[in-house]
Amino acid sequence: MTWTDEKDFIMLTAMAGEGVFDAKAGSRERGSTWKSVAASLNSHSAQGFNVNQQSVRDRFNILAKRVKAKLSKEERESGGGESDLSETERLVKEVIVLSEESEKRNEDQSEAKREAMANEKKQALEMRDRALERLGETRKRNEEEKEEEKQTVTEKRRRLGGETLEWLREREAMDTEMKEREMKEKREERETQKNYIKEMEAMRQQQNEQVKLMQQQQQQQQQQQFALLQQQSQALLAFLQRKN
């Protein structure tokens, strides 16, 4: 696409209408306005616009550079310089003024923002110092409380240590007494078992003697019965012999 004076004028009018320089340079809002200008120009089908935001921005920079150079030259030669500007060039100058005012306003806002940030930083440092001071006081108070708690715990441990030692002594005495009692009970139990075994052995020996005595008596009875039977048999035999 070839740029003409008419197309330049339409572009500058669209830029002024969209307020390109109201937004901060390099911001997303500034980019959006350049995009809106390009879309507005492309809607002029009769003029045959075929542009994008980059080509529009480049064209304005070229025009602004030319007008600034022309104004600077005329000012050096005649001490002033707007008489030879065309209508389009005058419009370029107005847009340049808008751009410079916008940049100055943005710089003022940036300066105010920097001052606000500096004040905010100063306030933050003051708050930090106060916080550190309170933290130091709190830490000191906590250390004092910890020291008191430590002393209390130490005294309690000493007291508990004395009580524990006394309890251990009593426990040891009780354990010793219980062990002696258990040993005594075990000795008595072993003695009882020994006596029981002796009694059982004596009873078994007595029973054996009784059984042995009974066996002897039975044997004597059997012998006596056998002798009696022999006597009876001999008597019967003698009787039979005499009878015959």
Side-chain angles (χ1 to χ4, degrees):
M1 187 198 76
T2 302
W3 286 95
T4 63
D5 188 68
E6 182 182 4
K7 289 179 179 178
D8 289 338
F9 186 83
I10 295 173
M11 179 193 72
L12 294 169
T13 304
M15 288 175 59
E18 292 292 339
V20 171
F21 299 108
D22 291 342
K24 185 178 180 180
S27 65
R28 183 178 299 178
E29 291 77 8
R30 176 73 68 89
S32 297
T33 55
W34 281 113
K35 190 174 182 179
S36 298
V37 171
S40 176
L41 295 178
N42 289 330
S43 66
H44 292 271
S45 57
Q47 282 73 26
F49 278 101
N50 184 17
V51 295
N52 55 38
Q53 61 186 64
Q54 183 63 45
S55 61
V56 173
R57 187 162 54 245
D58 292 342
R59 180 59 181 174
F60 171 73
N61 290 334
I62 292 172
L63 294 176
K65 186 176 181 180
R66 288 178 183 175
V67 171
K68 286 180 180 180
K70 187 174 182 178
L71 289 173
S72 179
K73 181 180 179 181
E74 290 185 356
E75 187 174 358
R76 287 195 305 270
E77 292 178 352
S78 61
E82 289 190 10
S83 57
D84 293 337
L85 294 179
S86 65
E87 185 178 3
T88 300
E89 289 173 339
R90 290 178 184 277
L91 186 54
V92 170
K93 181 184 176 182
E94 294 297 328
V95 175
I96 290 173
V97 172
L98 290 175
S99 174
E100 291 175 349
E101 290 178 351
S102 175
E103 293 300 327
K104 186 176 184 302
R105 184 171 60 253
N106 290 331
E107 288 178 0
D108 293 340
Q109 291 177 354
S110 298
E111 182 64 25
K113 187 176 181 180
R114 284 194 294 270
E115 291 179 359
M117 291 178 64
N119 292 331
E120 184 177 352
K121 184 177 181 180
K122 182 179 179 181
Q123 293 177 358
L125 291 174
E126 292 176 354
M127 291 177 63
R128 185 199 64 181
D129 293 338
R130 289 195 297 270
L132 290 174
E133 184 178 356
R134 289 195 299 270
L135 179 61
E137 294 175 355
T138 303
R139 184 177 299 172
K140 182 179 179 181
R141 184 170 60 255
N142 290 337
E143 289 177 354
E144 292 176 353
E145 292 177 354
K146 286 182 179 179
E147 185 64 25
E148 293 178 358
E149 183 179 356
K150 184 178 180 181
Q151 293 178 358
T152 303
V153 171
T154 302
E155 293 176 357
K156 186 176 181 180
R157 285 180 177 175
R158 289 175 180 173
R159 185 171 62 254
L160 291 176
E163 294 176 356
T164 303
L165 182 60
E166 183 65 24
W167 179 82
L168 289 174
R169 289 173 179 171
E170 294 178 357
R171 179 63 182 273
E172 184 178 3
M174 291 176 61
D175 290 343
T176 302
E177 184 179 355
M178 289 181 64
K179 288 179 180 179
E180 291 178 354
R181 187 182 303 169
E182 289 177 357
M183 291 176 64
K184 182 179 179 181
E185 291 176 354
K186 288 181 179 180
R187 286 196 300 269
E188 292 177 352
E189 184 178 358
R190 286 196 297 269
E191 189 68 24
T192 301
Q193 289 178 352
K194 287 181 180 180
N195 294 332
Y196 175 77
I197 292 172
K198 288 181 179 179
E199 291 177 358
M200 292 297 294
E201 185 67 24
M203 289 178 63
R204 188 164 48 252
Q205 186 175 0
Q206 184 178 2
Q207 288 177 354
N208 290 335
E209 291 178 353
Q210 289 178 354
V211 170
K212 186 176 181 180
L213 180 61
M214 290 177 63
Q215 289 177 350
Q216 290 177 354
Q217 291 176 353
Q218 288 178 357
Q219 187 176 5
Q220 290 176 357
Q221 289 177 358
Q222 289 176 356
Q223 289 176 354
Q224 291 175 359
Q225 290 177 358
F226 181 73
L228 181 61
L229 288 173
Q230 283 183 343
Q231 291 176 1
Q232 289 177 353
S233 296
Q234 290 176 359
L236 180 60
L237 181 60
F239 175 76
L240 291 174
Q241 288 177 352
R242 285 195 302 271
K243 189 175 181 181
N244 292 331

